[in-house]
Amino acid sequence: MNGKATIYYCVDISKKSYHIGNSNTLGLGICVIGDYGTDKLSEATIRLLSIYTKH
């Protein structure tokens, strides 16, 4: 996702893609592009993250 809540689909979820140490079989990685030490997430990005991370 970029700062305009654009979603880039990079790897098919049926394939193993390394993103978090030894827990790659337990989760799906979501990367939000930006420097969030100084930037803030847009409201659109927060809404999409909320939608996609609900159980």
Side-chain angles (χ1 to χ4, degrees), residues 1-12:
M1 298 178 140
N2 67 13
K4 296 180 177 143
T6 301
I7 297 174
Y8 299 94
Y9 184 77
C10 299
V11 178
D12 189 293

Side-chain angles (χ1 to χ4, degrees), residues 1-32:
M1 298 178 140
N2 67 13
K4 296 180 177 143
T6 301
I7 297 174
Y8 299 94
Y9 184 77
C10 299
V11 178
D12 189 293
I13 61 171
S14 67
K15 296 183 180 182
K16 185 181 283 189
S17 178
Y18 299 95
H19 66 280
I20 186 162
N22 293 323
S23 298
N24 292 296
T25 60
L26 303 174
L28 179 70
I30 298 174
C31 177
V32 180

